[in-house]
Amino acid sequence: MSSVKRTSEPQLLSSGNAHDLIDSVEAFLFDCDGVIWKANKLIDGVAETLEMLRSKGKKLVFVTNNSSKSRRQYVKKFQSLGISVSEDEILSSSFAAAMFLKVNNFSPEKKVYVIGEEGIIEELQLAGFTGLGGPEDAKKTADVYLDCPIEQDKSVGAVVVGLDRCINYYKLQYATLCIRENPGCLFIATNRDAVGHFTESQATPGAGCMVAAVCGSCEREPIVVGKPSTFMMNCLLKKFEFGCSKMCMVGDRLDTDILFGNSTGCKTLLVFSGVTTQSSLQDPSNDIQPDYYTAKVSDLLGLLGP
Amino acid sequence: MSSVKRTSEPQLLSSGNAHDLIDSVEAFLFDCDGVIWKANKLIDGVAETLEMLRSKGKKLVFVTNNSSKSRRQYVKKFQSLGISVSEDEILSSSFAAAMFLKVNNFSPEKKVYVIGEEGIIEELQLAGFTGLGGPEDAKKTADVYLDCPIEQDKSVGAVVVGLDRCINYYKLQYATLCIRENPGCLFIATNRDAVGHFTESQATPGAGCMVAAVCGSCEREPIVVGKPSTFMMNCLLKKFEFGCSKMCMVGDRLDTDILFGNSTGCKTLLVFSGVTTQSSLQDPSNDIQPDYYTAKVSDLLGLLGP
């Protein structure tokens, strides 16, 4: 994917350009971790900002690479933080993985082996697919010491790999057997984020860790459905009657959110409430530039008025 | 590393060239899995062939990427198969990892975090280093759901990653924290084999799987001490008074054994008793060519006489 270089320098969000931005955009796409919340805490002013955007008739979509939850579970998380959203407004990489199978006419007769958490299993089920593995295999062990082979289900036609905090050798072996030995088996990654901030305390290995492990044993690269892959944009383009130029991707990560926005032709707004700092944006080694940057989402509120 | 292309075609081992080979070589370096044994079964004729080579005054070294055992444990495995070898004749990637730290003057005051099995922990200890993790952390869980951070030991100055059939999220997180947050922390891989044949029944994920996982979460590449890296040859050159041209690497894998032999300037002999078949050797996509090839090690015996 080309990263569609911006010709102009990124602009600090100001009262002037914030009005231009809001006037030219019909949908705001928000990353969640580091933009809407940090771990389980809402970032200051987010609720009011979303309300203001809704009052101006803007569409909102929450586009997250975190596959641990389904859309239903994300709606509950938003509710627990006092924000009302509908499932329709959530585009998670767990859902995207199921949609990828759907739009590619994956046969519901075939099964899907999952290295990942509940979100993927639930979205597969809602899309009419049978997911194996995931939380169910959390306590399993591969008795390779005892020379007990694992018999992988020959009807597994796809392996989906996402964040899995119960990763183990059994799951890795099962996935490896499916990908290496079931003819035509797809290898789908929800995303490849190296680390995530799933709790307040520290960064922990992200889906990129589990995906790389499977790449390592299968000597194959996956199809990635999460950001910065443009697959999720295909889902959005089907949903809206307007094109990418009427959307603005708001995110805290250059290599996922901003790259995704730039490569699909969205406007892009980088916030510093997550993993990226102003100095890493301005570092000469960084070649991913947003259209706009600001400290946090609620700056929009201050600059535009309620 | 350059793969040192052979100018001539690989030769089928014959009575004529086997005599040339044996006359020109002072040490035979044998890979183990797929060459000496398959899982826990000795390959036919190996014992007699090794005896014949010893009777001709040849040095023998067993050079294995499998880090699960220490040299002491390998000697026991050889014994259990009826072959007598000394620890001095074993060069395992577990030992190589410890030697890498030794020759690079790694401070014994610092600690080493291990994703791997007993072999690495034991070799570290024998070399005077303190290994953490490994089997000890097999049952640990990272309570990231409960927002309990892991406190990594700040005195960890190196992470060694090898085959670990008790891999879990706790170990991945611990290693990730050490590599990302302890200044100057080394990241050492015993080897990067995608899969291994550790039992008779099926191929299972190799160290390449665990190493890739840590690369994925750390966004860093490791120092590899096993084949095809040339580090293990440095150990051999210290041991012998002759050079690489007087050695012959015998192995079943093109991308580790034969590449290692070729890039260090050894003679190379590929055997088909492990993962490589004659058709994969002759596949146009393969660009790693041995000097000689034959079905199995004991062909040497048949061609040279007892």
Side-chain angles (χ1 to χ4, degrees):
Chain A
M1 173 194 338
S2 76
S3 74
V4 187
K5 285 238 185 175
R6 295 312 197 207
T7 46
S8 51
E9 285 289 296
Q11 295 176 41
L12 175 65
L13 202 65
S14 67
S15 174
N17 61 24
H19 278 98
D20 295 345
L21 176 65
I22 208 113
D23 289 345
S24 65
V25 160
E26 301 203 33
F28 281 86
L29 320 179
F30 290 98
D31 177 42
C32 295
D33 292 306
V35 177
I36 301 296
W37 56 63
K38 269 201 129 164
N40 291 316
K41 268 195 184 156
L42 202 64
I43 292 172
D44 274 354
V46 161
E48 299 80 353
T49 311
L50 298 180
E51 211 171 302
M52 176 273 288
L53 292 172
R54 282 194 199 280
S55 76
K56 292 189 185 291
K58 304 302 171 189
K59 308 277 186 203
L60 308 182
V61 187
F62 302 92
V63 182
T64 175
N65 267 0
N66 185 334
S67 65
S68 64
K69 293 185 173 58
S70 63
R71 288 167 305 155
R72 183 187 64 80
Q73 291 170 315
Y74 273 113
V75 168
K76 280 180 73 173
K77 172 155 186 176
F78 272 96
Q79 272 171 350
S80 76
L81 297 171
I83 295 180
S84 171
V85 302
S86 71
E87 281 191 28
D88 250 15
E89 293 175 312
I90 310 283
L91 186 44
S92 60
S93 65
S94 53
F95 175 64
M99 283 306 100
F100 181 86
L101 294 172
K102 199 97 180 166
V103 302
N104 286 285
N105 301 312
F106 185 78
S107 164
E109 310 283 299
K110 287 190 177 173
K111 295 180 189 130
V112 184
Y113 188 74
V114 176
I115 291 185
E117 304 188 2
E118 272 180 42
I120 300 172
I121 296 281
E122 185 170 322
E123 291 295 353
L124 287 172
Q125 199 170 25
L126 288 168
F129 299 118
T130 306
L132 304 177
E136 203 176 277
D137 286 353
K139 304 266 178 221
K140 289 195 184 157
T141 51
D143 288 327
V144 286
Y145 301 100
L146 307 173
D147 202 10
C148 294
I150 288 176
E151 287 275 340
Q152 91 277 15
D153 189 323
K154 301 290 187 296
S155 70
V156 169
V159 170
V160 174
V161 183
L163 171 69
D164 191 332
R165 285 165 287 189
C166 293
I167 186 71
N168 60 35
Y169 195 75
Y170 179 91
K171 293 183 187 181
L172 290 167
Q173 187 174 0
Y174 202 106
T176 301
L177 287 169
C178 293
I179 294 171
R180 291 183 85 109
E181 300 190 2
N182 286 2
C185 184
L186 299 170
F187 171 21
I188 298 167
T190 58
N191 65 303
R192 300 195 75 163
D193 295 47
V195 292
H197 296 79
F198 310 118
T199 66
E200 280 208 87
S201 2
Q202 60 188 196
T204 52
C209 177
M210 291 84 215
V211 171
V214 178
C215 293
S217 57
C218 295
E219 300 171 283
R220 219 173 108 179
E221 287 297 303
I223 298 158
V224 181
V225 296
K227 298 170 282 186
S229 148
T230 55
F231 176 75
M232 299 219 281
M233 183 52 78
N234 303 346
C235 304
L236 290 174
L237 289 173
K238 276 189 199 141
K239 179 185 168 79
F240 294 126
E241 68 280 12
F242 46 83
C244 299
S245 65
K246 295 279 186 188
M247 304 182 200
C248 178
M249 178 71 216
V250 186
D252 70 321
R253 292 187 70 116
L254 292 163
D255 60 348
T256 52
D257 304 319
I258 303 306
L259 183 54
F260 169 79
N262 287 354
S263 54
T264 54
C266 290
K267 294 190 167 57
T268 51
L269 169 59
L270 177 72
V271 292
F272 297 129
S273 50
V275 299
T276 307
T277 58
Q278 185 152 0
S279 68
S280 57
L281 169 65
Q282 288 161 349
D283 191 284
S285 71
N286 168 45
D287 60 357
I288 304 171
Q289 303 289 349
D291 294 309
Y292 305 100
Y293 62 93
T294 193
K296 56 191 186 306
V297 160
S298 65
D299 294 343
L300 271 172
L301 194 69
L303 295 169
L304 293 167
Chain B
M1 173 195 339
S2 76
S3 74
V4 187
K5 284 239 184 174
R6 294 314 196 207
T7 46
S8 52
E9 285 290 295
Q11 295 176 41
L12 175 66
L13 202 65
S14 67
S15 174
N17 61 26
H19 279 97
D20 295 345
L21 177 64
I22 208 112
D23 290 345
S24 64
V25 160
E26 300 204 32
F28 281 85
L29 320 179
F30 290 98
D31 178 42
C32 294
D33 292 306
V35 176
I36 302 297
W37 56 63
K38 269 202 129 164
N40 292 316
K41 269 195 184 158
L42 202 63
I43 292 172
D44 274 354
V46 162
E48 299 80 353
T49 312
L50 297 180
E51 211 171 301
M52 177 273 288
L53 291 172
R54 283 196 198 280
S55 77
K56 292 189 187 292
K58 304 302 171 189
K59 308 275 187 203
L60 307 182
V61 187
F62 301 91
V63 182
T64 176
N65 267 0
N66 185 333
S67 64
S68 63
K69 293 185 172 58
S70 62
R71 288 168 305 156
R72 183 188 63 80
Q73 291 170 315
Y74 273 113
V75 168
K76 281 180 72 173
K77 173 157 184 175
F78 271 96
Q79 272 170 350
S80 76
L81 297 170
I83 295 180
S84 171
V85 302
S86 71
E87 280 190 31
D88 249 15
E89 293 175 310
I90 311 283
L91 185 45
S92 60
S93 66
S94 53
F95 174 64
M99 281 308 99
F100 181 88
L101 294 172
K102 199 96 179 166
V103 301
N104 286 285
N105 301 314
F106 185 78
S107 164
E109 310 283 300
K110 288 191 178 176
K111 296 182 188 128
V112 184
Y113 187 75
V114 176
I115 292 186
E117 304 188 1
E118 272 181 42
I120 300 171
I121 297 280
E122 186 170 321
E123 291 296 353
L124 286 172
Q125 200 169 22
L126 288 167
F129 300 117
T130 307
L132 305 177
E136 202 176 279
D137 286 353
K139 304 269 178 219
K140 289 195 185 156
T141 51
D143 288 327
V144 286
Y145 301 99
L146 306 173
D147 203 10
C148 294
I150 288 175
E151 288 275 341
Q152 91 276 15
D153 189 324
K154 302 290 187 295
S155 70
V156 169
V159 171
V160 174
V161 184
L163 171 68
D164 191 333
R165 286 165 286 188
C166 293
I167 185 72
N168 60 34
Y169 195 76
Y170 178 91
K171 293 183 188 182
L172 290 167
Q173 187 174 0
Y174 202 106
T176 301
L177 287 168
C178 292
I179 294 172
R180 292 183 83 109
E181 300 190 3
N182 286 3
C185 184
L186 298 171
F187 171 21
I188 298 166
T190 58
N191 64 303
R192 301 196 76 162
D193 294 49
V195 293
H197 295 80
F198 311 118
T199 67
E200 281 209 86
S201 2
Q202 61 187 197
T204 51
C209 177
M210 291 84 214
V211 171
V214 177
C215 293
S217 58
C218 295
E219 300 171 283
R220 221 173 107 178
E221 288 297 303
I223 298 158
V224 181
V225 296
K227 297 170 284 186
S229 147
T230 55
F231 176 75
M232 299 218 280
M233 183 51 78
N234 302 346
C235 305
L236 290 173
L237 289 173
K238 276 188 200 145
K239 179 184 168 80
F240 295 126
E241 68 280 13
F242 46 82
C244 299
S245 65
K246 296 278 187 192
M247 303 183 200
C248 177
M249 177 73 215
V250 186
D252 70 321
R253 293 186 69 118
L254 293 163
D255 60 348
T256 51
D257 304 319
I258 303 305
L259 183 54
F260 170 78
N262 287 353
S263 53
T264 53
C266 290
K267 293 190 169 56
T268 51
L269 169 59
L270 177 72
V271 292
F272 297 130
S273 50
V275 300
T276 307
T277 59
Q278 184 151 2
S279 67
S280 58
L281 169 65
Q282 288 161 348
D283 192 285
S285 70
N286 169 45
D287 60 357
I288 304 171
Q289 303 289 348
D291 293 310
Y292 305 100
Y293 63 94
T294 194
K296 54 191 187 306
V297 160
S298 64
D299 294 344
L300 272 171
L301 193 69
L303 295 168
L304 293 168

